[in-house]
Amino acid sequence: MIVVAVLSLPFLFVLARKPILRRLALRNATRRPRETALVVLGSLLGTAIMTGSFVVGDTFNSSIRRTAYTQLGPVDEIVSVNGLSAGPALVARVANVRDPNVDGTLPLVATSASVASIPAPGGPVRAAPKSQLLETDFAAARDFGGDPHATGITGSTPAAGEAVIGIDLARALRLGVGQSIDAFAYGATVPLRVTRVLPKLGVAGYWRGDETASNNVFVAPGTIAGILGRSTTRPAAVPPQSIVLVSNAGGVEGGARLTGVVNKLLGERLGGLAASVNDRKAAVLDRADRSGRSLSRLYTSLGAFAVLAGILLLVNIFFMLADERKSELGMLRAVGLKRASLIGAFATEGWCYAVLSAIAGTFVGLGLGRALMAAAAKLFSRPGDDSGIALHFAFKWASVQRGFVVGFVIAIVTVLLTSIWLSRFNIIQAIRDITEPRRHRPRRRSSYVGLGGAAVGLALTTVGATSLSFLPLMLGPVLVFVGVGPMLARNMPRPVVNTLIAAIVLAWSVAAVPVAIALNINIDVLLFVVQGLVLVGAAVVLTAQHQQSIGHAVSRFAKKSLALRLGLAYPLARRFRTSMTLGMFALVVFILVLVSVFSAMFSGQIGTFTADASGGFDVVVESNPSSPVAFDALAREPGVRAVAPLVTTNVEVVAAAGLSRPREWGATSFDARFVEHGAPKLDDAGGYPTDAAAYRAVLASTDLAIIDASFLASGGGPPDSAIGLGDRFTVEDETSGARHTFTVAAISTPDVADNGIVFGAAAGRSLFGTRAVPNRAYLDVSHPQQFADAFAGRFLAHGGKAETLRRVVQSALSQQQQFFLLMRTYLALGLVVGIAGIGVIMVRAVRERRRQVGVLRALGFQAKAVRAAFVVESAFVAVEGVLIGTVLALVCAWSITLTDAFGSALSFRIPFGAIGALVLGTFVCALLATAAPARSASRIRPAVALRLAD
Amino acid sequence: MTDPTDALLVADCVRKTYHTGAEEVEALRDVDLVVHDGEFISIMGPSGSGKTTLLNCCSGLDEIDGGRVLLDGVDLHSLSDAKRTANRAASMGFIFQAYNLIPVFSAVENAELPLLLAGIDAREARRRAAETLERVGLAGRLKHRPAELSGGEQQRVTVARALAGRPRVVWADEPTGALDSETAEQVMQLLRELNGDGLTLIVVTHDEGVGASANRAIKMRDGRIVNDELVGGAVGGAMTSTPAPTL
Ligand SMILES: Nc1ncnc2c1ncn2[C@@H]1O[C@H](COP(=O)(O)OP(=O)(O)OP(=O)(O)O)[C@@H](O)[C@H]1O
Ligand SMILES: [Mg+2]
């Protein structure tokens, strides 16, 4: 905001103290309200896109934050021990804590369970394999944390045989009060009657895992102990947990600030008791911030293309304005106004547009973010899948403000630079569109300046190559090539030099990304922005240089058509403006095609992916850890060729290079059967000769582990810390607090089955102790789909769940595809800029040429020929721009597949359908945007137009 | 009144009223005019008297509110816009005050426009346009854009453009208005020559000198023709409709 004020000062000064300039600026801005509206429309898009990007981040942030309310509420820390017997000791030490930073504690007993509805005769059984049974005192729960509403708890503690269930479970099982359910745990079945349904809020929604559904069943205290008493399962099953929930002073979000202090306090209280303290709330809020930020960043980076296109549009509009004002400018100069004053008035007018468009753009951006998130919410929420995020539109005023400021600054800087540029150029020359440079040989001075630039470029290149950072590496050589231009031009014809340099820059920018990847330079979205910009810039220069020949080639095709000739004449003659428009189109099409190609390349991988992720297996089964399926028995069933039991759970990654705070991550331990039958393929087997050798080494050791490339990544962004081969990291078991440090032995192919960190059974036992009971398994069966379909029903009491690996891969890929789709939708906004832009440009072109149209009509030019000429004009520019963008994007994508940045399985493919639709759509829309101005041009009445002052 | 049947153009009771908001301007009040082949007519009169309006209405560039305009016996204003446009392309040429060239076309490209509009083969059109430009003294400027030509040169390109299509009638609205007297005289000399070759010329002008080179002078005032007389050596069959005052 301060920036806005500072930048506005000179203009406010002009408005306040320079009456002539003020009148000039304001009159011009208000003279034709419809055109002013167009100008504002053209320039608001940048602001809109920025604001939209920020709002996307806010929405994700706040949607994740919501879990802090729905699944935690007053709960800030979770202190837990394994087993019921340790419960009293835990409660004794923690529950009665009196401290100003803690405003309550709540003892709780929890065990995971599988729950099924008891069907009416003939009706289907519905099961929720991932559920939990909870025991707590409802009166205490309501008082917990000081705000009863935030706990979600109402009524009295359930009596024996009663169940108070959460709304998520009620929905999943489609049942309500009065109906009956069976809960399965530790081999026992407990029939329960639902007496109340609680909202998903606070303690009632208490859930510790990453799942979005809180499938909670509150039961009478003692129920879990009763189940254990009757248990038929081996004692090694994952035990129930005794828990004390701790609420920090302060509200739901405010409390998390005290986590550090309270953690320390709890640590002291616990003394030697082997309990785990989990600061879940802080972790959720942290995750919210992180994903919000990373998405904002992704979207602003991608949005940069649209913003850049918007800037080009703005420059274009400003040149047109200046052009229109030429006689006015000349007249005022003649009257004695200083050039600086004129530019001042002109810039002040621009400032008015900038303010207006920034305000309007902010609002449009809000709407944009809202629409985008509505689309995203549909994509993310799929029935039967509780792993996604439930998106709720939200934004912070700070973000809106930021969008406004960024948009305003972009607009005003563009305006200022354009104004200054206009003042430096010979106005007459610029306005008359005299394309031939007056001076063919550049001055010696400019060749020195160029050489200086080249030297800087050389230095940058060196810096980039030695420090392995992309920006200098990419831009350095570009500067070198461009810098030698003026010197070359002293001895060679300018067009040749321009062509040469543009071609070299083009080639270099295509090559730069593969080179960067080969040098192992971190890939960032920013990279594509810079690359796209340089590429498009060079391509546009190249095209502009040869525009005449292109035009002649085109018009040779249709020699007879005068409309075609006229339509081409304008873009060919106004090279500068045409280049701006070309650049605008090329930029947005470039990134859209690039993302489309990547999307297609990834989706084309399903076969390879499935093979990689499956190894020798084809089904993955899961069961509730409280009563795991007897996998050994499963192995003896007919049709089952192999079973590899796994222990999968979440751990807390507490230490790793670049990790700022603990992150929860999946972890899986395997035994020899996994390796023997063919474990998932590795991307990098470390130093080991084969994948199997790597897996065996991990199995044999207790401190080697395998991770995949997205380890510690969040929200689709790059990983927080780049952990690779040989790096060490430490994890902590969430329930026992036991720690273990691993060294990365190999990198696996993308972990679509959510195995997380993969290590051997021995390491698993040392980390999880008795809890190392297999709850998951990879299977090789003769009829995978049938087996998977029947599994849940057969193992209802074990919370059985099965999926073919093919399906797992498919759904992971489809999520990725949806992510791409969302990105493309967003990027398509850039197209809106392009299309609106060409509309604006054509409207102004019509206005500018009314007199000329009048002359043509008087000469006998038919109305429809006039219309055709305008359509040809915009079609020509649109086709060129789209072609440039498409070709560049294809070349880039192809060059990236030459490296194995995204795995060697990625092969180049062109999604002809998608690109065809894109190209055609853009083209048609551009024509539609031209239709109205072209029609109004054809309706210009010659007698009226001829009277217009030129 | 001469017998209108063999006339090139007959304007009959032409009325034109402009509406701007509540105001009405009667720019033409029942104007009658007969133009014969080969005439060189000058239209003079004070500013705002309706000269340009008359030109626009008689050439079919503008709609009229009453009366009719016959070109070769065809009622111009009963034709569709497309037909009228085609008619202009086929038989009329226009010269306006100044700056009415297409800025993105070179001199020769501007001059060949009417030829191309008439459907003449591109190469032939180029040849003839170049020829016409040579005739107006611009042989060395064929490839120049309007912005690279002087005012007089631009106007000569316009003349060339008006002539290249070999129209039957050329309408000129203050063709010398933006030129210095010497250049103006060159342009007028050119027009006189062309008229000598049989071209019909109707020129709106403030310049007495220009008026003097015509063979029929029309004076307008307040939307009416107040004087119409033969001057100099009358070539066509026009006659004065009002007694000529002193010359
Ligand atoms: N589009 C218009 N709307 C309203 N009034 C108009 C319009 N065009 C011309 N007029 C009015 O019609 C009258 C005749 O205008 P016209 O242009 O024919 O005059 P003129 O004789 O050509 O004048 P000048 O010698 O100054 O060019 C004038 O009073 C003018 O104000
Ligand atoms: Mg006039």
Side-chain angles (χ1 to χ4, degrees):
Chain A
M1 279 299 147
I2 293 171
V3 177
V4 172
V6 168
L7 280 178
S8 299
L9 267 180
F11 304 105
L12 291 172
F13 174 75
V14 165
L15 287 176
R17 303 302 298 269
K18 303 263 170 168
I20 299 180
L21 299 190
R22 173 181 61 208
R23 201 174 317 141
L24 217 57
L26 293 185
R27 287 280 161 79
N28 275 328
T30 52
R31 188 167 53 180
R32 285 194 283 266
R34 266 190 29 212
E35 303 220 346
T36 303
L38 272 180
V39 173
V40 170
L41 176 79
S43 39
L44 67 75
L45 290 158
T47 316
I49 285 158
M50 280 299 154
T51 312
S53 301
F54 295 142
V55 167
V56 167
D58 286 352
T59 296
F60 269 84
N61 187 332
S62 105
S63 300
I64 297 171
R65 244 158 220 280
R66 263 175 101 92
T67 37
Y69 292 83
T70 56
Q71 297 193 319
L72 294 170
V75 181
D76 286 301
E77 292 88 21
I78 302 166
V79 189
S80 58
V81 292
N82 285 326
L84 297 182
S85 50
L90 177 71
V91 170
R93 292 188 192 203
V94 179
N96 57 353
V97 65
R98 295 277 173 276
D99 189 278
N101 291 323
V102 173
D103 63 6
T105 58
L106 181 70
L108 196 83
V109 176
T111 183
S112 60
S114 164
V115 178
S117 62
I118 298 175
V125 181
R126 297 207 166 79
K130 273 189 182 160
S131 303
Q132 64 180 350
L133 302 184
L134 296 163
E135 292 174 4
T136 192
D137 177 55
F138 272 35
R142 248 196 320 278
D143 287 342
F144 175 59
D147 178 6
H149 294 295
T151 65
I153 298 286
T154 50
S156 53
T157 312
E162 287 181 357
V164 174
I165 65 173
I167 183 77
D168 281 347
L169 187 63
R171 291 217 179 103
L173 302 182
R174 293 194 213 163
L175 50 74
V177 172
Q179 285 173 288
S180 299
I181 54 173
D182 278 334
F184 308 101
Y186 306 104
T189 304
V190 188
L192 296 164
R193 197 169 49 80
V194 177
T195 58
R196 215 173 321 131
V197 177
L198 294 180
K200 184 179 184 177
L201 192 64
V203 178
Y206 168 72
W207 192 267
R208 187 183 172 150
D210 282 333
E211 293 82 5
T212 49
S214 300
N215 290 334
N216 285 344
V217 183
F218 287 91
V219 292
T223 310
I224 294 174
I227 294 173
L228 282 183
R230 282 181 284 140
S231 172
T232 57
T233 322
R234 291 157 303 165
V238 175
Q241 295 191 328
S242 302
I243 298 169
V244 174
L245 302 177
V246 179
S247 171
N248 300 354
V252 174
E253 292 187 37
R257 272 195 296 271
L258 298 171
T259 290
V261 188
V262 175
N263 263 351
K264 212 158 147 217
L265 175 79
L266 292 171
E268 287 161 12
R269 282 298 191 128
L270 285 169
L273 192 68
S276 119
V277 179
N278 185 307
D279 39 5
R280 176 87 190 140
K281 176 76 72 53
V284 165
L285 296 181
D286 178 63
R287 181 159 76 96
D289 284 341
R290 214 177 25 233
S291 349
R293 251 199 321 271
S294 105
L295 272 162
S296 279
R297 192 175 141 72
L298 178 70
Y299 276 74
T300 38
S301 298
L302 291 173
F305 280 92
V307 171
L308 285 170
I311 291 177
L312 293 184
L313 175 60
L314 209 59
V315 173
N316 221 344
I317 289 177
F318 246 69
F319 264 77
M320 296 185 100
L321 281 179
D323 201 347
E324 188 187 286
R325 304 285 160 71
K326 62 184 171 186
S327 55
E328 190 184 300
L329 292 178
M331 190 272 290
L332 288 166
R333 285 276 281 141
V335 181
L337 221 54
K338 274 192 298 233
R339 171 177 286 178
S341 311
L342 268 185
I343 299 302
F346 196 47
T348 305
E349 184 184 341
W351 175 81
C352 296
Y353 298 139
V355 171
L356 274 179
S357 64
I359 293 171
T362 310
F363 282 103
V364 174
L366 279 177
L368 205 68
R370 161 126 233 176
L372 199 62
M373 286 301 95
K378 279 218 187 81
L379 294 184
F380 277 100
S381 77
R382 273 168 302 152
D385 182 359
D386 50 3
S387 60
I389 310 167
L391 285 177
H392 300 273
F393 176 71
F395 61 87
K396 290 190 214 131
W397 275 111
S399 307
V400 173
Q401 229 171 55
R402 200 143 45 109
F404 174 80
V405 172
V406 172
F408 174 81
V409 168
I410 286 174
I412 201 71
V413 167
T414 310
V415 164
L416 276 175
L417 290 181
T418 314
S419 302
I420 291 169
W421 191 8
L422 279 174
S423 76
R424 286 194 36 88
F425 266 69
N426 180 344
I427 293 190
I428 302 306
Q429 191 178 326
I431 287 168
R432 278 183 165 186
D433 283 308
I434 297 170
T435 46
E436 283 312 305
R438 291 259 161 262
R439 187 191 302 275
H440 284 272
R441 273 163 60 92
R443 266 182 280 198
R444 178 158 296 159
R445 197 183 63 189
S446 59
S447 74
Y448 289 147
V449 170
L451 285 182
V456 172
L458 208 60
L460 271 181
T461 314
T462 323
V463 169
T466 48
S467 72
L468 293 186
S469 57
F470 181 73
L471 215 55
L473 182 68
M474 157 105 213
L475 293 179
V478 172
L479 258 181
V480 173
F481 301 140
V482 173
V484 299
M487 204 195 58
L488 284 180
R490 284 173 67 82
N491 309 309
M492 260 195 268
R494 188 102 226 191
V496 175
V497 173
N498 285 354
T499 306
L500 204 69
I501 291 177
I504 292 174
V505 168
L506 207 58
W508 163 243
S509 1
V510 169
V513 171
V515 166
I517 291 170
L519 288 177
N520 244 329
I521 292 175
N522 207 14
I523 304 176
D524 191 288
V525 204
L526 182 69
L527 177 155
F528 292 107
V529 177
V530 176
Q531 187 199 24
L533 192 66
V534 177
L535 271 177
V536 167
V540 167
V541 169
L542 204 58
T543 314
Q545 204 61 58
H546 297 279
Q547 203 65 283
Q548 289 294 344
S549 355
I550 296 171
H552 287 318
V554 173
S555 52
R556 201 159 299 143
F557 267 112
K559 242 184 194 155
K560 281 261 163 182
S561 167
L562 205 48
L564 187 88
R565 257 189 65 183
L566 188 69
L568 291 181
Y570 283 94
L572 294 190
R574 317 221 138 136
R575 282 210 324 219
F576 177 77
R577 285 193 197 177
T578 308
S579 303
M580 291 283 133
T581 320
L582 270 185
M584 181 179 82
F585 263 101
L587 271 177
V588 292
V589 171
F590 170 79
I591 186 67
L592 261 170
V593 171
L594 194 64
V595 171
S596 301
V597 172
F598 269 105
S599 162
M601 292 197 303
F602 282 119
S603 73
Q605 284 177 300
I606 179 124
T608 348
F609 254 41
T610 310
D612 288 355
S614 313
F617 302 96
D618 40 34
V619 177
V620 57
V621 303
E622 262 176 69
S623 68
N624 196 292
S626 68
S627 43
V629 169
F631 292 116
D632 297 337
L634 208 57
R636 289 190 291 272
E637 282 188 15
V640 177
R641 289 192 283 260
V643 176
L646 306 167
V647 182
T648 297
T649 182
N650 275 356
V651 295
E652 192 104 340
V653 181
V654 290
L659 190 73
S660 51
R661 53 160 298 126
R663 296 274 316 265
E664 200 159 306
W665 208 257
T668 294
S669 73
F670 63 95
D671 64 19
R673 286 170 278 185
F674 197 50
V675 192
E676 274 157 20
H677 205 73
K681 204 166 170 320
L682 295 178
D683 208 32
D684 188 340
Y688 304 98
T690 62
D691 284 6
Y695 272 105
R696 280 206 191 88
V698 171
L699 185 59
S701 143
T702 54
D703 49 32
L704 291 181
I706 298 169
I707 56 170
D708 84 335
S710 65
F711 184 50
L712 297 182
S714 59
D720 278 8
S721 53
I723 295 182
L725 281 177
D727 290 337
R728 290 155 67 82
F729 61 91
T730 304
V731 304
E732 181 182 294
D733 176 24
E734 292 186 324
T735 54
S736 69
R739 289 194 173 197
H740 201 100
T741 296
F742 289 106
T743 303
V744 178
I747 308 288
S748 73
T749 51
D751 175 27
V752 286
D754 287 331
N755 288 325
I757 306 159
V758 174
F759 42 81
R765 272 192 299 279
S766 88
L767 190 57
F768 304 130
T770 54
R771 287 174 57 240
V773 181
N775 55 351
R776 207 153 165 272
Y778 271 44
L779 270 63
D780 178 8
V781 297
S782 34
H783 300 290
Q785 196 57 58
Q786 277 151 278
F787 183 87
D789 290 344
F791 190 80
R794 284 175 59 203
F795 295 94
L796 194 64
H798 300 273
K801 224 177 145 180
E803 195 89 87
T804 60
L805 278 158
R806 187 174 179 80
R807 192 51 86 53
V808 169
V809 171
Q810 243 163 14
S811 90
L813 282 179
S814 100
Q815 209 152 25
Q816 195 182 47
Q817 286 299 305
Q818 285 170 346
F819 188 71
F820 272 124
L821 187 67
L822 203 62
M823 261 165 52
R824 265 153 56 192
T825 314
Y826 183 72
L827 288 173
L829 287 174
L831 274 188
V832 175
V833 175
I835 287 158
I838 204 149
V840 171
I841 289 170
M842 291 320 279
V843 166
R844 294 218 55 99
V846 171
R847 141 92 49 208
E848 208 176 68
R849 290 183 219 153
R850 286 178 62 168
R851 199 183 147 85
Q852 292 164 36
V853 170
V855 171
L856 286 168
R857 297 276 288 127
L859 290 180
F861 225 73
Q862 293 288 359
K864 56 177 206 282
V866 169
R867 182 191 318 200
F870 276 97
V871 170
V872 164
E873 179 173 349
S874 79
F876 176 69
V877 180
V879 165
E880 269 195 351
V882 168
L883 271 183
I884 292 176
T886 309
V887 170
L888 291 182
L890 289 178
V891 172
C892 276
W894 172 77
S895 76
I896 290 170
T897 50
L898 292 185
T899 71
D900 47 359
F902 298 99
S904 41
L906 204 63
S907 61
F908 181 61
R909 66 179 71 212
I910 302 177
F912 285 104
I915 293 182
L918 186 82
V919 167
L920 204 69
T922 312
F923 186 61
V924 169
C925 288
L927 288 190
L928 286 180
T930 315
R935 200 179 51 219
S936 76
S938 74
R939 287 186 179 161
I940 290 176
R941 300 210 340 251
V944 177
L946 285 169
R947 282 181 185 275
L948 294 172
D950 193 39
Chain B
M1 265 284 149
T2 23
D3 173 21
T5 48
D6 66 332
L8 171 64
L9 182 127
V10 178
D12 199 2
C13 253
V14 173
R15 219 174 318 127
K16 176 78 185 175
T17 314
Y18 292 111
H19 304 267
T20 13
E23 273 177 57
E24 283 196 357
V25 178
E26 285 192 59
L28 293 180
R29 313 177 196 226
D30 296 329
V31 171
D32 296 318
L33 178 69
V34 178
V35 179
H36 293 276
D37 257 332
E39 279 191 304
F40 182 170
I41 303 175
S42 72
I43 303 178
M44 298 183 67
S47 182
S49 55
K51 307 180 296 290
T52 300
T53 310
L54 182 68
L55 189 149
N56 285 348
C57 289
C58 289
S59 61
L61 282 180
D62 209 350
E63 304 295 331
I64 57 178
D65 298 314
R68 55 182 191 157
V69 176
L70 302 178
L71 181 76
D72 277 334
V74 179
D75 183 349
L76 268 187
H77 293 93
S78 69
L79 297 176
S80 68
D81 178 73
K83 284 238 175 70
R84 222 188 306 156
T85 307
N87 213 322
R88 279 203 295 278
S91 56
M92 293 181 190
F94 288 87
I95 304 169
F96 305 102
Q97 186 163 2
Y99 308 123
N100 55 75
L101 295 170
I102 305 303
V104 293
F105 281 160
S106 64
V108 67
E109 284 171 331
N110 264 290
E112 72 185 0
L113 273 177
L115 295 165
L116 295 172
L117 279 167
I120 289 165
D121 170 72
R123 195 162 307 165
E124 173 67 8
R126 176 64 53 101
R127 196 186 58 73
R128 274 164 60 177
E131 216 175 80
T132 321
L133 282 169
E134 266 163 48
R135 186 155 169 214
V136 300
L138 289 179
R141 301 281 189 278
L142 299 191
K143 299 275 177 198
H144 285 234
R145 291 259 177 87
E148 298 156 343
L149 293 171
S150 76
E153 287 169 336
Q154 287 187 40
Q155 197 62 331
R156 277 186 276 163
V157 175
T158 320
V159 172
R161 184 177 66 188
L163 301 175
R166 305 214 175 120
R168 298 183 57 193
V169 52
V170 168
W171 306 89
D173 193 349
E174 301 188 23
T176 58
L179 306 178
D180 63 274
S181 58
E182 202 165 311
T183 321
E185 182 45 41
Q186 286 175 12
V187 171
M188 282 320 297
Q189 178 61 36
L190 192 63
L191 289 178
R192 273 195 297 271
E193 280 173 37
L194 294 165
N195 175 244
D197 294 351
L199 181 78
T200 309
L201 262 173
I202 301 162
V203 182
V204 170
T205 183
H206 283 292
D207 184 340
E208 295 287 342
V210 174
S213 42
N215 46 41
R216 179 177 164 195
I218 291 177
K219 289 229 155 45
M220 290 193 74
R221 183 180 297 277
D222 290 337
R224 290 201 179 84
I225 293 180
V226 294
N227 198 355
D228 186 345
E229 59 185 7
L230 293 179
V231 292
V235 180
M239 280 170 54
T240 47
S241 55
T242 40
T246 55
L247 240 179

